[in-house]
Amino acid sequence: MAVRKKKKDRRYSKGCNNQALLPRGSKGWPMIGESFEYFGAGWKGHPEKFLHDRMSKFSSLVFRTSLMLEDVAVLCGPQGNKFLFSNEKKLMQPWLPTTIAKIFPSSQETFNSGNSKFRKLLINVLKTEALQQFVPIIGDVAQQYFESKWKGKKEIMAYELAKTFTFELACKILLNIYDPELIKYLFGPFEAIGKGFLSIPIDFPMTPYRRAINAAKFIRKELVAIAKQRKIDLNEGKATPTQDILSRFIVYRDENGEFPGEDEIADQIQGLLIGGYENMSTTCAALVQFLAELPEIYHGVYNEQTEIAKCKAPGEQLEWSDLSKMNYSWKVAREVIRLTQPSQGYRQVMTDFMYEGYSIPKGWKVYWTALSTHKNPELFPEPEKFDPSRFEGNGPEPYTFVPFGGGAHLCPGKEYARLAILVFIHHLVTKFKWEKINADERIVYNPLPHPAKGLPIRIYPHIS
């Protein structure tokens, strides 16, 4: 019998000891890899299918793919979450795909360094105790929002209005901007960024990608101008160092006693504005959708919130202590987040390492997403079922519910999001009832989640 010449096995990495095996998986099509399959699953409303199909076929712990022209290892399950959160800046560092980095070129360096210069300050500003000063502001924004955008209307587009609410809130908390015309002026370019952020990266005039690039340049220029004027106002006593996050950044000194420049501040604020309204607007819209679909859940939230409202005088705002009474509402919100928020991110491998018997080579990218656990039936039985009781007692097992990431890159805005969402829920259910106009409307991903048709609803005010 002829001896067949053994072909070189491309699953082995040259840079690893003992020719260690690379993770199993597929590189997909030449050039495009598996990007179409990845995005296509989201467009159909089930982004987790891309992950779970490959976890079933190759490994439930780690598999290989190719996305955006990069070799990618996908870490899955609670073990993957724990490993990634524990090894930030040791084995991996944050990384932006080149298509996104082109929209935010000035932010690439600060992103890759983990925003370390501002991170400690931001954590202090957004920690639980410090957030108490923002409760009245969030309450005022929510009250005015429902008065002006919902009251007296028969039908509205809930998703679009959720975006205007969260963006206006971010402008006031971050920048102390209250002028509605200026907020509207800034909102348009941010919408262009959102639509082109992860669109097909064709950099030609009139494409969503080019509009996003131009919009980001415009926003950065505006934020630099706002920062320069704020610095003048602080020097003249027309603003206070603690009135908003922008002012805190301006007066912040690093370990060398140096103040940050306006360009650096603008980059940070731009990222915070995007993060402060995109994901939260999805959660607010999804809350409206699920509460319309699930009357028993709505009544549970309504009963809890009306008990809190009974203790308030007419027009009196919520206080920090009221939030601790919203236990059921927060369980509902977390279940909404579990079902709709595909927390995700990329890391770049800094040095070869072994994981679960496989080699992950230096230069590869590691893709992390909460969907590998949030919709895993082994971790959350009947994962598509809406069940707030999952969060009773000690809640889900560690590293299974991770919408805000973890480790060195735990989202510093976690408590801010909780506060804003609970205040939104309070005003929503105590003022209105509603129903979906499109009964079969679903949430799709592009790749961020949103109602497929904008969530038109028919609203009815509560009769007091």
Side-chain angles (χ1 to χ4, degrees):
M1 180 181 293
V3 178
R4 296 177 61 185
K5 186 177 180 181
K6 187 175 181 180
K7 293 183 178 179
K8 183 178 180 180
D9 193 335
R10 295 181 181 270
R11 296 176 299 171
Y12 290 93
S13 169
K14 294 180 180 179
C16 301
N17 293 333
N18 302 320
Q19 294 287 289
L21 201 66
L22 296 177
R24 296 174 60 213
S26 171
K27 294 192 67 173
W29 296 91
M31 298 296 292
I32 61 173
E34 294 194 298
S35 297
F36 282 149
E37 291 90 338
Y38 169 73
F39 288 112
W43 294 332
K44 295 176 182 177
H46 295 283
E48 73 280 1
K49 189 175 187 304
F50 176 87
L51 296 167
H52 293 169
D53 285 354
R54 285 153 183 78
M55 289 169 66
S56 176
K57 183 177 181 180
F58 300 119
S59 169
S60 62
L61 300 176
V62 57
F63 65 85
R64 176 187 186 179
T65 184
S66 176
L67 300 173
M68 292 176 286
L69 309 181
E70 300 285 348
D71 285 318
V72 177
V74 183
L75 304 188
C76 309
Q79 304 98 313
N81 294 339
K82 181 178 181 180
F83 181 85
L84 187 141
F85 299 156
S86 303
N87 286 283
E88 294 273 16
K89 301 182 181 179
K90 300 175 185 176
L91 302 176
M92 297 165 277
Q93 65 180 4
W95 177 80
L96 281 177
T98 54
T99 54
I100 299 176
K102 192 169 183 179
I103 299 176
F104 305 112
S106 57
S107 299
Q108 179 71 54
E109 183 177 348
T110 52
F111 180 85
N112 282 347
S113 65
N115 300 329
S116 56
K117 187 171 185 178
F118 290 95
R119 187 170 180 81
K120 186 178 294 185
L121 171 65
L122 194 58
I123 290 172
N124 288 331
V125 172
L126 295 178
K127 64 185 179 182
T128 304
E129 310 84 71
L131 281 173
Q132 296 186 36
Q133 68 168 324
F134 297 131
V135 176
I137 297 174
I138 297 174
D140 285 339
V141 172
Q143 188 164 320
Q144 293 170 15
Y145 161 77
F146 285 108
E147 285 285 326
S148 62
K149 305 295 186 183
W150 284 56
K151 188 176 181 179
K153 308 292 194 304
K154 293 183 178 180
E155 296 179 2
I156 62 169
M157 299 296 287
Y159 179 52
E160 289 301 314
L161 292 186
K163 287 194 288 185
T164 62
F165 165 72
T166 56
F167 185 74
E168 180 179 349
L169 187 58
C171 284
K172 292 180 178 179
I173 298 295
L174 294 172
L175 300 168
N176 201 41
I177 292 178
Y178 284 78
D179 180 357
E181 292 302 314
L182 179 54
I183 292 173
K184 184 178 179 181
Y185 176 70
L186 295 173
F187 181 69
F190 268 97
E191 277 286 87
I193 292 173
K195 291 177 181 177
F197 192 62
L198 287 164
S199 63
I200 298 174
I202 300 175
D203 188 7
F204 291 143
M206 305 306 291
T207 62
Y209 188 61
R210 172 67 69 84
R211 289 195 182 104
I213 292 172
N214 291 338
K217 290 178 181 177
F218 172 83
I219 286 292
R220 187 171 186 272
K221 182 179 178 181
E222 292 296 316
L223 291 175
V224 167
I226 291 170
K228 288 181 177 179
Q229 183 58 51
R230 180 62 53 79
K231 187 176 289 187
I232 294 172
D233 291 344
L234 285 166
N235 290 334
E236 295 179 352
K238 297 178 182 178
T240 62
T242 59
Q243 69 182 29
D244 52 47
I245 292 175
L246 171 62
S247 299
R248 290 175 183 264
F249 279 176
I250 289 173
V251 301
Y252 173 67
R253 291 176 183 263
D254 63 18
E255 60 273 12
N256 298 318
E258 297 179 355
F259 292 105
E262 291 93 352
D263 290 351
E264 193 174 11
I265 292 171
D267 292 340
Q268 297 296 321
I269 294 293
Q270 187 177 46
L272 291 172
L273 278 169
I274 291 172
Y277 101 97
E278 278 284 5
N279 284 336
M280 199 149 54
S281 63
T282 294
T283 299
C284 290
L287 274 162
V288 172
Q289 177 161 332
F290 282 114
L291 292 178
E293 295 171 347
L294 303 166
E296 69 282 6
I297 303 295
Y298 170 87
H299 286 299
V301 174
Y302 174 77
N303 291 336
E304 180 176 79
Q305 296 296 339
T306 51
E307 286 300 311
I308 294 170
K310 287 176 183 178
C311 300
K312 316 297 289 186
E316 183 182 358
Q317 288 289 5
L318 292 169
E319 298 177 354
W320 181 260
S321 59
D322 294 319
L323 302 181
S324 63
K325 304 172 186 176
M326 301 182 184
N327 294 323
Y328 182 72
S329 298
W330 184 232
K331 290 173 189 173
V332 169
R334 280 181 285 178
E335 182 69 342
V336 168
I337 292 170
R338 182 188 70 81
L339 287 165
T340 60
Q341 288 288 7
S343 301
Q344 57 193 349
Y346 286 91
R347 305 292 186 267
Q348 179 166 278
V349 178
M350 300 163 61
T351 182
D352 296 346
F353 66 87
M354 298 295 296
Y355 180 74
E356 296 295 336
Y358 294 103
S359 169
I360 313 297
K362 178 180 179 180
W364 269 38
K365 307 304 180 289
V366 171
Y367 176 64
W368 167 82
T369 172
L371 287 173
S372 78
T373 57
H374 285 192
K375 292 193 175 182
N376 189 327
E378 295 181 4
L379 305 171
F380 293 95
E382 298 183 86
E384 294 297 333
K385 180 182 178 181
F386 194 97
D387 183 6
S389 69
R390 302 180 197 273
F391 297 93
E392 293 177 353
N394 294 326
E397 292 296 317
Y399 300 103
T400 59
F401 181 66
V402 287
F404 301 101
H409 276 79
L410 177 68
C411 176
K414 175 182 178 181
E415 287 301 316
Y416 164 70
R418 174 178 172 271
L419 167 59
I421 289 168
L422 288 176
V423 173
F424 176 85
I425 289 174
H426 176 80
H427 287 274
L428 171 70
V429 301
T430 57
K431 290 178 170 63
F432 299 97
K433 296 184 292 185
W434 62 94
E435 62 184 12
K436 291 169 59 179
I437 292 176
N438 300 315
D440 60 346
E441 182 166 17
R442 58 196 176 88
I443 293 175
V444 296
Y445 297 73
N446 190 27
L448 298 178
H450 62 276
K453 299 177 182 177
L455 192 56
I457 60 172
R458 193 170 290 112
I459 56 178
Y460 311 93
H462 283 298
I463 299 175
S464 52

